[in-house]
Amino acid sequence: MAAEGRDSAEVRRARELADALPTAFATAVHTWIRIMAGVGTRPSRALKDRTIHAYVSRVHPVLSDWASVGIEDPRAITSSDIDRAVSAQRGANTRATSCSLRSMFRALKRERLVFRDPARAVSLPGPKTLPRPLATDQLRGLLGQADTARDRLTVGLVAVHALTRFEVRHPLLTDIDLTRGRLTIRRPGCRDHTVYLDELTWDLLRTWLADRSTRWPSTTNPHLLPSRQTAVNDSNAALSDLSTKTPFTTIGVRASALRADRILDEAKHTADPIHLVRVFGIAPNTAMHYLRAAHPAQFRPDPIAP
């Protein structure tokens, strides 16, 4: 992005929004803009100018609301404040506002303008119903072809909860909530995604945990899915990309295709993009892509619209 003074129209509008805020908030947003532009105190990837403006536009009304009730310093913001701000949004704005606030507070913490990141611990509201799995015969047929308990859990998380292979590799044991049947998926740069385990994947998880404990009772690797190599060395490394690819090669289905089929199957049973956002943790525009594919007549563009 161009240096300040030669900003694009989008960045100038973002700076104008910042200037309209109380001093402490204005300073924070200007700092955030510099970081998004790639010119913070530490090198970072520059975002597109329109993305910078969109992020600031989503955060500006929230900061204005906080200022109206006497909160004018980002250091005074708590997780409860952010939770209320996100919960007050509707539709696609819920996730967009959540991601924007998280981006801002991560930037402020990096620049030492806040002592802690209050957005980190806030999660999007969970789905009211568990996701609908694939047809039992179809899914059990796929799982039956997987060689190990770990491979069956890997296939199950992709087939039922539409996780990516990358997301399957990195959960820690501490990300499992055994009491509530939940698995937290950490997503760098955006809000964590909570997977509400259905009966099948819950059984696959318990079977794998028992197998893991039997195979490597003394391992210190913190990851949910270690391999024979990573369980016995001190690197505490995550499962390799190849190890998560192997079970899908065995069953003859690409993980990305299985994931897409799962989301499309869910989209056939709803016309609400926020349901897909909450169940799978996908972006609103991705949810709309699947809804258009599942309901082409309902989401056909209006031929009269400009």
Side-chain angles (χ1 to χ4, degrees):
M1 191 195 72
E4 190 169 352
R6 300 195 304 274
D7 290 332
S8 68
E10 292 95 338
V11 174
R12 285 199 299 272
R13 288 198 295 270
R15 294 191 188 282
E16 289 168 0
L17 290 173
D19 289 337
L21 294 167
T23 302
F25 279 157
T27 299
V29 174
H30 279 299
T31 300
W32 180 34
I33 290 172
R34 287 196 297 273
I35 291 173
M36 289 191 288
V39 291
T41 58
R42 290 162 50 188
S44 60
R45 180 177 62 87
L47 301 182
K48 294 180 179 179
D49 291 348
R50 63 174 178 270
T51 302
I52 295 174
H53 177 254
Y55 273 26
V56 175
S57 295
R58 291 167 190 151
V59 165
H60 180 266
V62 176
L63 300 181
S64 297
D65 287 344
W66 286 335
S68 69
V69 295
I71 304 174
E72 299 184 353
D73 190 324
R75 292 173 296 184
I77 302 303
T78 66
S79 296
S80 296
D81 294 325
I82 294 178
D83 193 23
R84 284 191 292 270
V86 172
S87 299
Q89 306 301 314
R90 294 292 180 269
N93 284 334
T94 303
R95 186 172 183 82
T97 300
S98 171
C99 287
S100 299
L101 285 168
R102 180 150 188 163
S103 171
M104 185 183 77
F105 279 101
R106 279 171 61 91
L108 297 183
K109 187 172 188 300
R110 196 184 83 170
E111 296 296 306
R112 301 177 184 267
L113 291 183
V114 296
F115 301 113
R116 54 182 171 72
D117 179 358
R120 180 176 177 81
V122 179
S123 300
L124 285 172
K128 294 182 179 179
T129 57
L130 289 174
R132 190 178 292 100
L134 298 177
T136 302
D137 292 344
Q138 179 187 6
L139 185 53
R140 290 195 183 280
L142 292 175
L143 294 173
Q145 299 175 53
D147 294 330
T148 66
R150 189 190 69 196
D151 287 354
R152 286 189 286 275
L153 176 59
T154 297
V155 172
L157 289 172
V158 173
V160 177
H161 299 284
L163 299 185
T164 65
R165 287 197 295 115
F166 178 85
E167 290 169 340
V168 170
R169 290 168 52 198
H170 291 281
L172 306 178
L173 288 172
T174 52
D175 292 328
I176 305 170
D177 186 336
L178 293 172
T179 303
R180 299 180 180 181
R182 298 177 181 178
L183 175 64
T184 299
I185 303 300
R186 310 290 177 184
R187 290 176 168 170
C190 201
R191 188 163 307 285
D192 299 339
H193 173 53
T194 300
V195 170
Y196 295 81
L197 299 168
D198 66 304
E199 183 178 354
L200 176 58
T201 46
W202 178 228
D203 286 343
L204 293 172
L205 175 61
R206 288 189 298 179
T207 300
W208 161 245
L209 289 175
D211 187 52
R212 183 187 193 277
S213 178
T214 300
R215 286 172 179 267
W216 308 296
S218 302
T219 182
T220 58
N221 190 302
H223 292 90
L224 170 62
L225 300 175
S227 68
R228 183 170 52 189
Q229 290 76 28
T230 63
V232 297
N233 62 39
D234 297 328
S235 66
N236 290 334
L239 195 65
S240 70
D241 180 67
L242 178 61
S243 295
T244 56
K245 185 177 181 179
T246 298
F248 298 97
T249 302
T250 300
I251 67 177
V253 179
R254 288 183 298 111
S256 57
L258 191 59
R259 177 178 183 269
D261 285 347
R262 174 66 190 92
I263 301 174
L264 182 60
D265 179 71
E266 188 72 20
K268 292 176 181 177
H269 297 87
T270 183
D272 181 7
I274 297 305
H275 174 71
L276 298 183
V277 169
R278 289 176 174 173
V279 170
F280 300 118
I282 57 179
N285 59 335
T286 303
M288 289 303 302
H289 169 77
Y290 281 98
L291 288 175
R292 292 188 187 99
H295 309 282
Q298 182 174 350
F299 290 94
R300 182 181 297 118
D302 184 350
I304 302 177

